[in-house]
Amino acid sequence: MTVHEACLALAGNVPGYAVIDRIPEDTFSAKSGPLSGIPFAVKNNICIKDFRLTCGSKLLENYISPYTATAIKQLMDAGAIPVCTANLDEFGMGSTGEYSAFGIVENPAAPGFCTGGSSSGCAALVASGCVPLAMASDTGGSARLPAAHCGVLGLKPTYGAYSRFGLTAYASSLEQIGIISSDISLMRKAHRCLCTDKDPLDATHRGLPAHSASFHFANQKIAILTDGTDRLDSSVSAALLSAQETMKHLGASFCSCTFERGHLISPAYYVIACAEASANLARFTGLLTGSAHNDSEYTDWERLYSANRALLGKEVQKRIALGAYVLREGAYEKYYLRALQYRKMLTAWFERLFQDCALLLLPVSSTPAPGISEKHADSLFHYHEDQWTACANLAGLPAVSVPWGKDSLGRPVAIQLIAPAEHDEDLLDAAEKLLEARKK
Ligand code: GLN
């Protein structure tokens, strides 16, 4: 797809509320490189200089990015061109695409159902064919879940593989920029452009060692997660079984496993994510970023601050309050330290698992996309569901969601693979081989 075609698609074909701002066609000129002329969308929590960075929030509605994120520069240096910024659940907090101040994003692959979040706009734009590639972010599953609900691919790399400079921080120790794409070889090309060159602007960025041999399923042992299988929708269980059959056909063997104290994954994730969010979002007072309320309206700082912070959505306010609570004296040991301890335990569990197995096969979610507003009031349902994806973020591991058919209502269904740290290329090889074998 050319940039011109993407712009035409954006003019006529955009799923409702997926786009925050279009980037005029003549803004950037294409360089030559491995991604020459490839159009892409950018989740609106990633900076592009001189364009709005709303993070899906009223508080940042008119804020303009002062610089461009390293990852976006890397893609542009490789020849790709950003064509629009994409809607998201406010500050990346959410699992359905319903928590943006700028509208609920429509799922082009399953009309009437959620897109999944928080990278709702990116997934919808890729699934509708407006762009073949999008830069998303993944703190606890936000690239993989919407990709799964929209029937496209979603990748979270190893922690530290890509630079986070210019990604608005929600929970810094968990998140990475992620890739959503309709095409596995394009996803790999983008991945390779993003994991080179250590970025001096991001102390956590390490890149990835050069890749040598490619991954084959023959003689590999694949771990199959059996946690919570009784809670899975029959379409998800069927997809996992079918993927396992395909792997078997390609020569893999299997072992089953259960997470160590898996019921603690989402509580640990939410304690850590909210604690980090309460610190990271403290900077958004509206004073430096501009907002609906400004200092000429108010004479006293506290009232101005409160008026601006009230522009944050309820979910964001709830998480900031929860994060501040778990960091306070008394609660810190009881919740925050225990969450960190569990994180260590889970990371060690993965290390032991990968001594014997090459990959872990598991669901992305228990069900395909829920209906819009169906679970809106039940944030605990979504918090609990995040265990399938947030486990990889807690342990810093690479993970990919791969579309694997549709259910009887026509909703996309997906499977997920997790690999050992720095084995991102193996993960992409495995996804590619599975998709090829499935086509035959
Ligand atoms: N649903 C998770 C959350 O709300 C994940 C979000 C993300 O990955 N940005 O925290």
Side-chain angles (χ1 to χ4, degrees):
M1 175 185 266
T2 64
V3 172
H4 183 67
E5 284 163 353
C7 290
L8 280 180
L10 285 176
N13 212 6
V14 174
Y17 302 106
V19 168
I20 295 285
D21 286 313
R22 281 151 217 257
I23 300 179
E25 210 175 324
D26 52 4
T27 312
F28 301 107
S29 47
K31 298 187 178 168
S32 64
L35 296 175
S36 217
I38 300 285
F40 69 104
V42 181
K43 186 174 180 178
N44 203 212
N45 61 350
I46 306 176
C47 297
I48 306 179
K49 188 174 186 303
D50 298 335
F51 285 87
R52 285 199 301 162
L53 180 76
T54 66
C55 294
S57 180
K58 265 269 168 235
L59 181 59
L60 294 181
E61 190 170 8
N62 300 312
Y63 177 58
I64 306 290
S65 288
Y67 51 78
T68 298
T70 301
I72 303 303
K73 275 194 188 153
Q74 285 170 320
L75 287 197
M76 284 169 36
D77 285 343
I81 308 237
V83 292
C84 66
T85 55
N87 204 352
L88 67 153
D89 286 314
E90 191 172 359
F91 286 101
M93 300 179 186
S95 302
T96 61
E98 296 171 297
Y99 290 128
S100 165
F102 306 109
I104 297 176
V105 180
E106 285 170 18
N107 184 338
F113 293 95
C114 290
T115 48
S118 65
S119 310
S120 47
C122 289
L125 286 161
V126 172
S128 63
C130 288
V131 285
L133 180 71
M135 282 299 98
S137 66
D138 192 308
T139 312
S142 278
R144 288 162 285 159
L145 184 66
H149 286 350
C150 292
V152 293
L153 291 147
L155 173 72
K156 178 202 100 70
T158 298
Y159 187 78
Y162 305 166
S163 167
R164 285 190 299 115
F165 179 74
L167 165 66
T168 312
Y170 153 22
S172 326
S173 79
L174 296 163
E175 68 209 357
Q176 284 287 284
I177 282 180
I179 304 174
I180 294 181
S181 180
S182 46
D183 180 67
I184 185 76
S185 56
L186 182 57
M187 175 176 260
R188 186 196 298 272
K189 277 189 198 163
H191 165 76
R192 287 190 178 161
C193 297
L194 293 169
C195 61
T196 53
D197 301 341
K198 187 164 167 21
D199 183 7
L201 299 169
D202 172 9
T204 64
H205 181 232
R206 297 188 309 267
L208 284 177
H211 181 58
S212 47
S214 62
F215 176 88
H216 294 279
F217 279 99
N219 304 320
Q220 296 285 1
K221 202 192 268 181
I222 308 300
I224 309 289
L225 189 77
T226 56
D227 280 78
T229 33
D230 50 324
R231 281 184 284 112
L232 298 184
D233 186 87
S234 57
S235 62
V236 175
S237 311
L240 290 164
L241 265 180
S242 140
Q244 195 178 339
E245 273 302 310
T246 309
M247 290 179 188
K248 192 169 159 196
H249 189 71
L250 293 171
S253 63
F254 304 96
C255 66
S256 5
C257 64
T258 50
F259 279 131
E260 186 160 341
R261 303 195 199 186
H263 63 287
L264 293 177
I265 293 174
S266 347
Y269 167 77
Y270 274 96
V271 166
I272 295 169
C274 292
E276 293 185 19
S278 77
N280 278 327
L281 269 61
R283 78 192 70 171
F284 298 116
T285 59
L287 290 188
L288 295 174
T289 49
S291 71
H293 303 287
N294 60 51
D295 40 1
S296 56
E297 278 175 68
Y298 291 89
T299 45
D300 112 53
W301 146 252
E302 288 210 359
R303 287 183 50 213
L304 170 62
Y305 178 85
S306 315
N308 278 332
R309 295 288 273 185
L311 294 171
L312 292 169
K314 290 274 169 293
E315 182 63 25
V316 176
Q317 292 191 25
K318 183 165 83 182
R319 294 193 192 195
I320 292 174
L322 183 68
Y325 175 76
V326 298
L327 289 176
R328 73 193 273 269
E329 204 184 332
Y332 180 84
E333 289 79 6
K334 200 164 156 198
Y335 300 109
Y336 185 66
L337 282 188
R338 280 170 73 188
L340 291 186
Q341 276 164 3
Y342 178 70
R343 184 179 193 173
K344 258 196 176 160
M345 188 186 281
L346 184 69
T347 308
W349 178 84
F350 270 113
E351 273 165 18
R352 286 196 304 277
L353 181 80
F354 289 136
Q355 276 169 12
D356 197 31
C357 297
L359 298 169
L360 172 65
L361 171 69
L362 73 169
V364 184
S365 60
S366 316
T367 65
I372 289 175
S373 302
E374 188 184 323
K375 301 276 185 190
H376 202 86
D378 188 2
S379 51
L380 274 185
F381 167 83
H382 294 297
Y383 288 5
H384 192 61
E385 270 293 287
D386 281 335
Q387 63 168 327
W388 305 113
T389 45
C391 56
N393 302 73
L394 284 168
L397 303 175
V400 67
S401 66
V402 181
W404 207 265
K406 293 194 167 173
D407 76 347
S408 56
L409 299 176
R411 295 175 294 181
V413 181
I415 56 149
Q416 183 182 194
L417 294 170
I418 300 181
E422 300 192 341
H423 286 242
D424 304 48
E425 287 270 2
D426 288 346
L427 195 66
L428 292 169
D429 280 339
E432 185 164 18
K433 300 228 152 90
L434 282 179
L435 287 170
E436 267 169 19
R438 186 175 154 76
K439 263 197 232 149
K440 285 183 190 155

